[in-house]
Amino acid sequence: FSCRCADGYGPDMLGKCAPLKGPLQAPIVNLPDGSYHTAGTRVVLSAASLEGVTGPWLAEIRYEQGLTPEAPNCDTSTKYEEPHDGSTPGLDLIRRRETVVVRAILCHPAHENSLEARVELHGNDHMNPPRCIVSGNLSTTTTYALQALVDFVVDGQPDATIKYQLQGSSAVATFSESVALAGPGTHVLLASAQKIGFDDSTTTACSYSIDGPARISISLRWPQVQPGELKQLGGYLQAEEAFLVRRGHPVLGLGFDAWHGQEAVSTVQLQYL
């Protein structure tokens, strides 16, 4: 003789049927969705924090896998278990030039099923695309002052050969040291990862804006000419390389705009001689 709790109920620690508690967090997969991996790379599933959960040892991960697997459930789906014989942990699911989808949930008899964790993994010996890492002094929130240095890394494949070029240029170089971008404007770097026996990665595009030196434009607003006064109040004298104005005028306006790249400069120093 056996009994089963009604829908929406589950056994508590005393074996009595009680309303199910809310769902736990979805399981964690060690490999990111859509990533490429060599055959034999292990897929490791783990539970998120079970702090505060009554009977955490009762929690278990159930999963389905394949090209188009069904949604996992807590009754018939495969139970995920780590080996206890010292063998390599994780699921050996990735095969060369094949795609596998893993769908997993976290089950607990006193809780509703967790949300689903789903990843699509590729095992076609495809190189992972490079990532760009930039350093330099920011002149604005999105613009670098004078120059920026860019490095490339390939996650999980440190022995990759990285090829790169500037967008608009036909010259392709092999990455070996930081790439310096200089000169005002927007620079776009295109990079891909290669390795013998592997398919080339997709192309990564990284765009950075570089500022030139700060620019200042100055214009004088001369006082209005009063009746009877001479019209020539002053002006720029080439020999002195300075603006000169006749004395005796109580008002003289000096207007200027100072810009650094796309944003106005907050402080400008003026010297009066």
Side-chain angles (χ1 to χ4, degrees):
F1 177 77
S2 64
C3 63
R4 186 183 182 90
C5 294
D7 291 343
Y9 289 78
D12 60 14
M13 297 302 294
L14 299 177
K16 297 181 179 180
C17 291
L20 290 174
K21 299 178 182 179
L24 302 177
Q25 296 183 47
I28 299 172
V29 187
N30 67 318
L31 303 177
D33 183 37
S35 55
Y36 294 87
H37 303 276
T38 55
T41 300
R42 296 282 177 151
V43 182
V44 178
L45 307 178
S46 59
S49 174
L50 295 174
E51 183 178 355
V53 175
T54 302
W57 59 86
L58 295 174
E60 59 184 26
I61 297 174
R62 298 278 184 155
Y63 71 93
E64 299 282 346
Q65 61 86 19
L67 186 59
T68 56
E70 297 179 353
N73 63 78
C74 294
D75 296 320
T76 62
S77 292
T78 305
K79 180 181 177 181
Y80 177 81
E81 296 180 297
E82 290 290 2
H84 300 288
D85 57 1
S87 57
T88 304
L91 303 172
D92 185 14
L93 302 177
I94 297 179
R95 300 290 180 266
R96 185 174 184 269
R97 297 188 180 278
E98 293 183 5
T99 294
V100 63
V101 175
V102 180
R103 303 174 67 177
I105 57 174
L106 184 60
C107 302
H108 190 288
H111 288 262
E112 297 176 6
N113 296 350
S114 76
L115 295 177
E116 179 183 314
R118 182 189 185 280
V119 293
E120 181 176 301
L121 305 171
H122 308 284
N124 66 344
D125 289 347
H126 199 295
M127 295 299 291
N128 293 326
R131 287 192 298 112
C132 299
I133 302 175
V134 63
S135 60
N137 296 318
L138 286 168
S139 58
T140 72
T141 55
T142 59
T143 305
Y144 290 86
L146 301 182
Q147 75 166 8
L149 298 178
V150 181
D151 290 282
F152 301 105
V153 295
V154 178
D155 294 326
Q157 297 166 324
D159 55 348
T161 297
I162 301 174
K163 299 289 187 177
Y164 72 93
Q165 66 186 110
L166 278 170
Q167 190 174 62
S169 171
S170 59
V172 178
T174 300
F175 173 72
S176 60
E177 59 183 2
S178 300
V179 180
L181 301 177
T186 299
H187 304 260
V188 179
L189 282 171
L190 306 175
S192 62
Q194 303 175 0
K195 185 179 178 179
I196 296 176
F198 288 70
D199 294 338
D200 292 353
S201 74
T202 55
T203 300
T204 297
C206 300
S207 177
Y208 303 102
S209 296
I210 309 295
D211 260 353
R215 302 180 300 277
I216 298 178
S217 61
I218 299 177
S219 61
L220 287 172
R221 295 190 295 270
W222 300 105
Q224 291 185 350
V225 177
Q226 301 299 322
E229 287 187 334
L230 296 175
K231 293 184 179 181
Q232 183 58 39
L233 299 177
Y236 184 79
L237 188 61
Q238 184 67 41
E240 299 290 340
E241 296 185 350
F243 286 94
L244 302 180
V245 63
R246 289 179 56 190
R247 295 181 179 180
H249 297 285
V251 178
L252 175 63
L254 178 63
F256 60 89
D257 296 310
W259 292 84
H260 190 64
Q262 302 298 319
E263 296 186 3
V265 174
S266 59
T267 303
V268 175
Q269 183 179 5
L270 298 179
Q271 182 178 13
Y272 298 90
L273 302 175

